Amino acid sequence: MWPCVKAWYHRGMTSATQPIRVAMLARVVYPLHGFGGIERHVGHLVTHLARLGVAGTLYVQPTPDGHTPTPHEIPALADGLWQVHTLRYDYTSPLLPPNGIIGRQINYPWYTWQLGLRAAAAVRQGMFDVVHSQGLCATGYAAIRQRDPLLRRVPFVANPHGMEEFRTPDWRKWLAYAPFRAMYAYGHRAADRAIATDACTQDDLPRYLRVAPQQVAVVPSAIDVVECEGLVQPALRSALRQRLGLDQSQPIFLSVGRLERNKGFHILIAALSQLRDLLPPQWRWLLVGHGKERQALEEAARSAGIAAHVTFVGRLDDAELHSLYEEVDLVIHPTLYEGSSLVTLEAMIHRKPIIASGIGGIPDKVFTGRNGFLVPPGDVVALSAAIRSALHARSQWPVWGEESVRIVRTTFDWPIVARQTVDLYHSLLGR
């Protein structure tokens, strides 16, 4: 048993009066630093840990405008169990994007080292019972911990997330990402537990990071079901229908993601072009997102002869996006590589059937014939066939939608996943 804690617990407590104290090592958190998957993961994780009585400090970079985070932005701060500690991330020239490939190679090593120093000093002072890192933030603390027996007495949990540095098909990115792959591998091999965010991807950690299989723990990424459902607004639904001209459209397909090559939207354009003579006259495809590929995708849609049916919606805020989910019929996610895929979960909680690539964590969420279709990533013919099959089975879409909801509520809702995280902490503290 770890000396700082008893093995039994109640609602996340290490004893009747003492909560587990966690150092959460991250760089970004929603909504302070953006809307991406890792930002949302960190924000929801600390909030739901706090609801289970877990206390801690969230280490992140400062807010863009330098303001102090508020409980409205991070609800975990509201009850006093959590606090935020910020430290500088961007050390590059204003002319160099801090999160570009070159900028990250300069900023991340220094940030994760400084992060490790701060966390290690606090652990030595007895301030934390568990250290939990997100993404590349494991590396600095891992290097310090490996050389300090005192730090190794405190459990260390590391979550690598999607590991896109290992999955890119672009050889130029593959070479540029080499330092990040080394940092990922080193940091997560040093952890007591490395988290796989889906059961179907747990073998990726031994494969890519050379983490010992017995060190891998499966704790899914999740969405907050209550929050997602609460974002839907009838007035927004009506405004979106009018703005996008949806009243005369059937069926309505929706895709959501950054407009980048790896999201596979060019594959979906090719698949839809193969079906244009079979699709109903009023079909629509809405593409939500922004990115450098927009012009190329618009040209591809024109060349394929389907531009009249395609709407590039651009960026939507959370309320707009969740309201739009309620207005569409089928969600298609043709990604070429993926992490856990929160977009898929968001669509599922709105009772949507899904067609998605069988890559990353998606096969734990989408099941052919149960709530949609899985297709091989990058396969135009298979994607076209799946859309055709889905259209033929349209009477099953309500049933598939209900199955989507059941899957999310029983496996991928944050209250469930936060409890699994607390159980992981206790398994390490009580071994």
Side-chain angles (χ1 to χ4, degrees):
M1 183 185 302
W2 294 96
C4 60
V5 68
K6 295 181 180 181
W8 58 274
Y9 66 98
H10 174 66
R11 288 191 70 251
M13 298 294 182
T14 56
S15 70
T17 58
Q18 177 66 46
I20 294 177
R21 302 163 301 167
V22 178
M24 189 66 65
L25 311 185
R27 184 178 68 83
V28 291
V29 60
Y30 169 83
L32 302 181
H33 306 109
F35 300 86
I38 192 166
E39 289 90 341
R40 292 179 186 275
H41 180 96
V42 174
H44 283 113
L45 175 58
V46 298
T47 293
H48 284 273
L49 287 178
R51 292 175 183 173
L52 292 173
V54 174
T57 297
L58 171 61
Y59 292 83
V60 292
Q61 67 179 353
T63 58
D65 61 2
H67 79 272
T68 300
T70 67
H72 175 73
E73 294 167 323
I74 304 177
L77 304 177
D79 56 13
L81 285 176
W82 281 79
Q83 60 181 328
V84 174
H85 184 105
T86 61
L87 61 160
R88 181 180 176 185
Y89 166 74
D90 184 6
Y91 292 87
T92 57
S93 161
L95 301 177
L96 187 65
N99 290 315
I101 291 177
I102 297 175
R104 290 177 69 202
Q105 290 184 7
I106 296 170
N107 290 323
Y108 243 122
W110 186 249
Y111 178 81
T112 189
W113 178 253
Q114 295 298 315
L115 186 64
L117 289 174
R118 304 276 182 94
V123 171
R124 292 188 188 106
Q125 295 172 21
M127 294 175 60
F128 298 115
D129 306 302
V130 176
V131 176
H132 190 155
S133 69
Q134 306 290 337
L136 282 168
C137 294
T139 310
Y141 182 75
I144 298 166
R145 184 178 188 259
Q146 289 289 82
R147 294 161 176 79
D148 188 335
L150 178 61
L151 298 180
R152 293 199 296 273
R153 295 175 62 191
V154 175
F156 177 30
V157 177
N159 187 338
H161 290 277
M163 300 188 296
E164 68 173 13
E165 291 83 355
F166 293 84
R167 305 177 192 274
T168 177
D170 187 328
W171 67 268
R172 293 162 296 186
K173 284 188 175 182
W174 176 262
L175 291 176
Y177 283 154
F180 303 127
R181 292 196 297 274
M183 290 170 65
Y184 264 118
Y186 177 83
H188 290 81
R189 286 200 305 271
D192 296 300
R193 291 292 183 273
I195 291 178
T197 52
D198 293 280
C200 63
T201 63
Q202 61 183 315
D203 291 339
D204 288 352
L205 275 65
R207 174 187 175 189
Y208 292 129
L209 306 179
R210 301 193 300 281
V211 172
Q214 64 270 20
Q215 290 175 239
V216 177
V218 177
V219 182
S221 287
I223 61 170
D224 189 316
V225 169
V226 173
E227 178 183 284
C228 290
E229 292 178 335
L231 288 166
V232 177
Q233 300 176 20
L236 266 181
R237 291 182 59 178
S238 177
L240 286 164
R241 288 194 68 85
Q242 183 174 4
R243 168 185 158 192
L244 300 173
L246 302 183
D247 286 331
Q248 304 303 318
S249 299
Q250 278 292 328
I252 304 171
F253 307 139
L254 173 67
S255 297
V256 181
R258 297 186 309 276
L259 304 190
E260 297 180 0
R261 193 75 174 174
N262 64 285
K263 292 301 181 182
F265 297 130
H266 60 292
I267 303 296
L268 180 51
I269 289 173
L272 290 170
S273 72
Q274 292 186 355
L275 297 171
R276 61 184 179 180
D277 294 332
L278 301 175
L279 288 165
Q282 299 302 111
W283 72 273
R284 292 284 296 283
W285 175 41
L286 307 178
L287 179 52
V288 174
H290 69 102
K292 61 185 180 182
E293 285 290 307
R294 175 163 178 164
Q295 184 175 350
L297 291 170
E298 290 176 337
E299 177 57 35
R302 284 193 293 269
S303 298
I306 61 171
H309 297 274
V310 179
T311 300
F312 288 82
V313 179
R315 177 183 285 172
L316 297 180
D317 64 27
D318 283 351
E320 290 172 323
L321 177 58
H322 284 276
S323 297
L324 183 59
Y325 278 126
E326 294 290 327
E327 298 300 319
V328 305
D329 301 302
L330 177 69
V331 174
I332 308 175
H333 192 49
T335 182
L336 301 182
Y337 62 92
E338 192 79 356
S340 189
S341 188
L342 296 183
V343 166
T344 301
L345 292 176
E346 289 177 347
M348 290 167 62
I349 201 58
H350 291 286
R351 292 176 169 80
K352 300 306 166 187
I354 312 290
I355 297 175
S357 301
I359 197 71
I362 295 174
D364 275 358
K365 304 171 180 69
V366 179
F367 302 88
T368 295
R370 283 177 51 189
N371 66 327
F373 288 93
L374 283 179
V375 297
D379 191 328
V380 173
V381 174
L383 181 56
S384 177
I387 297 170
R388 185 186 303 111
S389 296
L391 290 170
H392 288 160
R394 190 164 183 180
S395 62
Q396 293 297 306
W397 289 6
V399 176
W400 291 356
E402 292 301 324
E403 177 65 2
S404 287
V405 171
R406 188 197 66 79
I407 291 168
V408 175
R409 288 188 175 276
T410 58
T411 308
F412 300 103
D413 194 5
W414 262 116
I416 295 171
V417 173
R419 167 54 63 192
Q420 293 177 6
T421 304
V422 173
D423 290 343
L424 174 61
Y425 294 160
H426 280 288
S427 71
L428 291 168
L429 290 166
R431 68 185 177 185

